[in-house]
Amino acid sequence: MENDEKANKNEDGGKSLAFNLILAAILLIAIPLFIIVGGAWRYAVNEATVLINENNLEFTNQLSSQIDDHLASLENNADILIDLLDSRRRISSDVYLLTQDIVDNEEVLHNISFFDSQGYLVYSTGHLDFDLLIDNELSAELDQREDLSSWEEWLVIQDDDTRYLQFLRGYSNGLITMTVNTEGLKEILGSATIGRAREVFLFDDSGQIILGTDSDIIGSKNISDYSFFKEAMEEDQFSVAEKDAFSEENELIAAGFIADLNLGLAVSQPASIAYGIINSTTNILLGGIFLTLLLGILVSRQLLKKIVSPLQAFSNKAESIASGEREVDFSGGKIKEINKLGNSFNKMLTQIKEKEDRLKSQKEELAASYEQLEAFNEETAALNDELEESYDKMNDMVNRLEQMIDLTSNLSSTVELQEEEFLQDLLATAITMIPEADYGSVYLYHEDSVEFVATEGHVLEILKKIKFPRSPFETPKGEIVVVENIETNTLPTLPPEESKIFLEGSKEIHETLTFDLFFEDTRMIGLSLDIARDNYISFSAESQKTLEAFYSLATAFYSMQQMSRLKGEFQRDILMAMVRLLSFHDEYTEFHSQNVAELAAQIADKLDLTEEKIKNAYWAGLVHDIGKTLVPGRILNKPEDLSDEEYEIIKQHPVWAYEVLNTSDKLAEIARYVLHHHERIDGDGYPKGLTKEEIPLCSRILNVADAWDAMRSKRAYRDPLSRSKAREELQENAGSQFDEEIVAAFMEVLKNNEN
């Protein structure tokens, strides 16, 4: 029921197949179209912007040239007037005649005024209401200029609310000012924009607009904060920028600076007009896209009806199967693929009906089997109890096996394992693995006595005080023996005082499980496990079998110990043979290697090094000079000083010794000590020039021992040094040639040897 509700919920909440397919079609068509149109529009805008800016820039240059040409006549007229005035040396009463022809050109000139060298008005063609037109700033400049004839300047002047463009030219006795007719400039600006959607304006270096085709912005707006104004003022060439300068919409502006007039010229064009064609084209494209999408949706919808209708019928049949109907036919579809799917469903429906029949039959069989299972249940419960008991036993056996494996794995390192340490581990593991055992002991057989080496429960320190005879402990070779009340066999063999000590150091025993270990017919050790007197049980056959495994482990241990001793003796014999070979080659080192080995071992012991390190120091001392067998005898036994070449050969003997010894994995560590035994603490040694802690500790020990015995021995080139002189040499070179700590330890060794 719950599954039906979930199915209905999923059906109601999901989107129809037709909707999803239409949506997919729209996305597949619309997204590429929008990407293409958007990219094309962006490219067109960029290209149009560049083209429009170039056109505006060209237009600005042309208009600037027209203004220059328009105002050039003023400068020429000023030159004519000055030539006339300079020739007459005064302003005569017929000055009117001089200016009449010029003033008549009203398209360019609005007014001409003459000023004397003090700045006072002498004559003007216009109607002015004041006598002094020159302002204070120009008066100050008049006072400073000595030669007025070099003064030429374009100015912007203010009269009430009107700003004029004025040309100022000096001559020998004063100034001439010519006021430009702005109407003529307006006509030039206006004619230049006829038929073009542009605005043109002139502005001074303060950013104030003085003239333009749009009268609303003249004098009402300062453009000094706009970037195109700053670029026009700073650059000789015209620059182009896109700014929002005069309205809320963006404008394309071309601006530049007219250097001769000290004025800026700008042409602005609204971006909406500049991009009009592009915007219209874009709207048409968007409309086309919309129509394409709409047509695609309509076509897709018709096509989907042909697909969705059969699928809907197919879905209705599937729902009838879910409600329990089994007589449904999915074939007869008009679409090939859907018809194949219907045939597959018919086969599946047939299989379902067959499985339902089989399940019904199996259900009846299960009902009959249920009663049998109930009967088996009681048997299973009983078996379960037995299995739990067996599991506990098996778990106990696994724990014992793990302990045995741990003890066995230790045999891989028995070469270095001490005998007493192994026997203690052996006893402790046996006590743990044999459940009946309460106490235990391990003892060594000597020639006429027994010595306890490990105990569990008994007091080892007390038992070690007694010299036990062998007979009460001995058992037959290779047998595991059970003995009752073993104290009755032991006490009669002891003197009264030792019997009393024995009772103090041992626990009361009910039963003992024991064996003796033989190696090459020699009785080596005995192991005994004891049950306490008040524990009335006996060792099981299983426990006796387990103890046989410990017998095998102990036998393996002593076999490996014997093999290790034989191997060590063989290795020592080989090395001693090499040392003897060296004594034949070097007559002064017959006992030198043995002396260095013994001294090195004593120093290592004084430094509290491990037993392994002490052994390595001894072996390294014994073979430290075997590399000299490769040095020619004439060099080794030469009584005179060695040449540099001969000394270099001598210095190779640690390297040759290393190469020989390093061929054996067992001697690799000793080879490293021999290689560096001639290194110095200060780094002046050989062969590597190592310093301080870089030199292995055993190599530093060999360095001191070798130097001492060399100084105390007779050599071909000198007699032996006295004991005090050799001691003095070591102490003086401690910290440079020798390790100070090792020298101090060696002095203690010498002191002990002397005592």
Side-chain angles (χ1 to χ4, degrees), residues 264-301:
L265 176 66
V267 176
S268 67
Q269 185 175 18
S272 59
I273 296 176
Y275 300 141
I277 296 175
I278 296 174
N279 292 336
S280 300
T281 303
T282 302
N283 292 333
I284 293 172
L285 286 174
L286 291 175
I289 291 172
F290 176 76
L291 291 175
T292 301
L293 290 175
L294 182 60
L295 180 62
I297 292 171
L298 294 175
V299 173
S300 300
R301 185 176 181 183

Side-chain angles (χ1 to χ4, degrees), residues 165-218:
L165 184 62
Q166 192 175 68
F167 178 68
L168 183 149
R169 182 70 180 271
Y171 67 100
S172 57
N173 294 321
L175 297 172
I176 297 175
T177 62
M178 295 182 175
T179 305
V180 175
N181 185 349
T182 57
E183 293 299 324
L185 289 176
K186 286 181 180 180
E187 290 179 4
I188 292 173
L189 300 180
S191 63
T193 59
I194 294 174
R196 298 182 177 92
R198 295 170 175 161
E199 296 292 344
V200 183
F201 53 91
L202 285 170
F203 52 88
D204 59 19
D205 56 2
S206 67
Q208 191 67 41
I209 298 175
I210 61 173
L211 190 64
T213 55
D214 185 358
S215 58
D216 293 337
I217 65 174
I218 299 174

Side-chain angles (χ1 to χ4, degrees), residues 416-650:
E416 301 299 333
L417 193 64
Q418 296 298 316
E419 183 179 29
E420 289 191 10
E421 182 181 351
F422 172 76
L423 294 176
Q424 288 172 357
D425 291 343
L426 187 71
L427 176 62
T429 307
I431 290 287
T432 305
M433 291 189 63
I434 296 180
E436 299 90 349
D438 297 312
Y439 318 122
S441 60
V442 178
Y443 35 88
L444 297 176
Y445 283 101
H446 298 300
E447 186 175 354
D448 59 350
S449 63
V450 170
E451 177 190 1
F452 282 85
V453 294
T455 60
E456 289 286 338
H458 307 299
V459 183
L460 180 62
E461 292 76 11
I462 295 177
L463 297 180
K464 275 183 170 292
K465 297 177 182 180
I466 304 172
K467 186 177 181 180
F468 292 95
R470 291 168 54 118
S471 58
F473 296 91
E474 291 178 343
T475 61
K477 181 179 179 180
E479 294 185 13
I480 307 296
V481 179
V482 177
V483 180
E484 294 186 0
N485 301 318
I486 196 170
E487 303 103 312
T488 58
N489 297 332
T490 306
L491 286 173
T493 64
L494 297 176
E497 288 297 324
E498 290 186 352
S499 296
K500 184 178 179 181
I501 296 174
F502 173 69
L503 292 175
E504 291 177 359
S506 62
K507 298 288 186 179
E508 293 184 348
I509 298 170
H510 159 59
E511 186 174 280
T512 299
L513 185 65
T514 181
F515 69 80
D516 283 348
L517 177 67
F518 289 76
F519 189 77
E520 295 181 353
D521 295 328
T522 301
R523 198 182 298 269
M524 302 290 295
I525 67 164
L527 184 144
S528 296
L529 300 179
D530 308 314
I531 299 176
R533 176 68 58 83
D534 56 359
N535 192 0
Y536 299 102
I537 61 174
S538 295
F539 289 104
S540 65
E542 183 181 345
S543 295
Q544 296 180 40
K545 269 293 192 190
T546 303
L547 195 60
E548 289 179 4
F550 285 91
Y551 178 87
S552 299
L553 281 175
T555 303
F557 171 78
Y558 281 99
S559 297
M560 295 182 71
Q561 287 284 329
Q562 180 67 9
M563 289 176 60
S564 176
R565 281 193 291 269
L566 291 175
K567 187 176 179 181
E569 290 173 2
F570 178 70
Q571 180 175 296
R572 185 179 186 281
D573 290 342
I574 292 176
L575 295 179
M576 288 302 297
M578 296 175 68
V579 173
R580 291 191 191 97
L581 179 62
L582 175 61
S583 68
F584 297 149
H585 190 59
D586 182 2
E587 60 186 272
Y588 296 99
T589 59
E590 182 175 1
F591 301 106
H592 173 67
S593 296
Q594 186 66 39
N595 293 340
V596 171
E598 292 176 357
L599 290 174
Q602 292 178 31
I603 296 172
D605 183 58
K606 178 60 69 175
L607 292 172
D608 291 330
L609 301 186
T610 63
E611 189 67 28
E612 181 182 0
K613 290 287 186 182
I614 295 172
K615 288 181 180 179
N616 286 343
Y618 176 83
W619 287 109
L622 199 62
V623 297
H624 76 284
D625 274 342
I626 64 170
K628 289 183 178 179
T629 57
L630 300 177
V631 178
R634 60 179 177 79
I635 297 177
L636 282 177
N637 301 305
K638 184 178 180 180
E640 299 87 6
D641 291 340
L642 298 176
S643 65
D644 292 343
E645 182 180 357
E646 291 171 336
Y647 182 58
E648 289 300 320
I649 293 174
I650 287 287

